[in-house]
Amino acid sequence: MKAFQIAEYGSTPALVDIDLPPLGPTEVRVAIEACGLNFADTLMIRGQYQERPVPPVTLGMEMAGTVTAIGAEVAGLAPGDRVAAFNGQDGLAEEANLHADRCVPLPDGMSALHAAAFQVAYGTSHMALDHCAKLQPGERLVVTGAAGGVGLTAVEIGALMGAEVIAIARGANKLEVARAAGANHVIDAESEDIRGQLKALGGADVVYETIGGAVFNACFRATNPEGRILAIGFASGDVPQIPANHLLVKNLSVIGLYWGGYLKFRPAVLTGSLSHLMRWYEDGKLSPHVSHVLPLDRADEALNLIRQRKSTGKIVVTMR
């Protein structure tokens, strides 16, 4: 079968032919239909992601498809079931052997395209805003990178939770995408005085921060007393250094979130969040935004769209 792999960290990914190993007793084999890409995939290639599986590594952290075979000890899944999975790797391939407990059955009305774009982005934002920050109706939520894969879902979920949402993104097109997702106010990330604009709108009660660097610093300085700052990522490459004395004076909390880490130490929190999100999807309350769909043989082009910040929402690679 075809798989998009790196032979070692820092090498150029390539489409190669591989054979799957025998199916383990607790695994299911999935014919992959679609794989959602994330900024983290670009970090994985460079060996800069939190997880470092032993190379060669098939890229693609989240996927959707159909179960074709099950291991001897698997219960609750059967060939023909449609599932999504977050596996951290193996998504950019025609098939994968996945642990059964990583697979989430799909609602009848959810396409593989939406399913592949759903778990990481919506899961991260819901866990961050609900479980970590405990966002309340009427609070002012600032989202940076607001037209990106996770940022756009934070705008959508924040609005659904009753927050007043301020979206920060780069350029008129991305700001319009964020506004369409539910943002009440928008600020161009290239503005010279982000802090001043945030203060003029009343400051931030919760900050969903994906960029780092100067954007983080502007939001930090515009956060209200008892505000919560969610450290989601550092797309700028500049990891901010937080002055602890400012945390003390303003009674601020900074909360880090690595969504995939919950699979190891509190999986029930993560699966409960996903179940809640699936219900919202079935009720028509969530609408995944996929800006680009490309085939597997153009996976590197798809990753370049992320590197060059030319996408909004999610990019999905299809296998067939």
Side-chain angles (χ1 to χ4, degrees), residues 292-313:
H292 296 80
V293 180
L294 290 90
L296 182 60
D297 61 5
R298 295 172 64 189
D300 196 54
E301 181 182 339
L303 286 167
N304 277 333
L305 289 169
I306 294 178
R307 295 185 186 103
Q308 297 165 7
R309 301 184 184 182
K310 291 184 177 179
S311 62
T312 56

Side-chain angles (χ1 to χ4, degrees), residues 30-304:
V30 175
I32 300 172
E33 297 174 37
C35 174
L37 298 187
N38 297 278
F39 180 74
D41 291 302
T42 68
L43 300 178
M44 178 73 80
I45 293 169
R46 302 197 299 267
Q48 296 175 348
Y49 189 58
Q50 293 97 318
E51 308 286 345
R52 286 174 57 91
V54 177
V57 178
T58 298
L59 300 169
M61 297 185 173
E62 58 179 330
M63 65 216 74
T66 301
V67 175
T68 59
I70 64 171
E73 298 176 13
V74 173
L77 289 172
D81 287 348
R82 299 172 62 250
V83 296
F86 173 78
N87 196 51
Q89 59 184 39
D90 297 331
L92 287 172
E94 293 175 322
E95 292 185 291
N97 291 341
L98 306 172
H99 287 288
D101 60 5
R102 294 287 183 97
C103 296
V104 179
L106 298 184
D108 290 340
M110 179 178 272
S111 67
L113 199 69
H114 275 184
F118 194 84
Q119 290 182 96
V120 172
Y122 281 105
T124 297
S125 293
H126 185 254
M127 287 278 286
L129 297 177
D130 183 64
H131 178 73
C132 295
K134 296 177 172 55
L135 179 69
Q136 299 299 307
E139 287 193 306
R140 196 170 295 109
L141 167 67
V142 174
V143 180
T144 70
V150 292
L152 195 61
T153 61
V155 171
E156 190 176 3
I157 289 174
L160 193 56
M161 293 176 69
E164 180 183 349
V165 181
I166 303 171
I168 301 176
R170 192 177 303 276
N173 177 58
K174 291 185 176 182
L175 292 174
E176 185 54 38
V177 169
R179 194 185 293 278
N184 302 96
H185 314 280
V186 296
I187 296 174
D188 196 311
E190 295 183 340
S191 300
E192 292 186 1
D193 188 15
I194 292 175
R195 179 202 179 200
Q197 292 182 69
L198 290 174
K199 295 288 283 185
L201 290 168
D205 299 310
V206 175
V207 178
Y208 184 99
E209 218 294 292
T210 68
I211 303 300
V215 173
F216 179 99
N217 292 333
C219 294
F220 181 85
R221 296 174 66 200
T223 301
N224 296 326
E226 293 194 327
R228 290 89 74 202
I229 301 171
L230 294 154
I232 304 299
F234 314 103
S236 68
D238 185 350
V239 179
Q241 304 302 303
I242 301 168
N245 59 320
H246 290 196
L247 297 178
L248 182 154
V249 170
K250 294 178 71 175
N251 293 287
L252 301 180
S253 299
V254 179
I255 308 166
L257 174 66
Y258 167 36
W259 180 78
Y262 275 84
L263 286 170
K264 297 179 179 178
F265 67 91
R266 288 191 71 186
V269 175
L270 187 148
T271 54
S273 170
L274 282 176
S275 295
H276 190 95
L277 288 165
M278 289 292 186
R279 289 194 296 272
W280 272 353
Y281 180 90
E282 288 185 281
D283 292 342
K285 295 179 179 179
L286 299 176
S287 180
H289 178 92
V290 177
S291 66
H292 296 80
V293 180
L294 290 90
L296 182 60
D297 61 5
R298 295 172 64 189
D300 196 54
E301 181 182 339
L303 286 167
N304 277 333

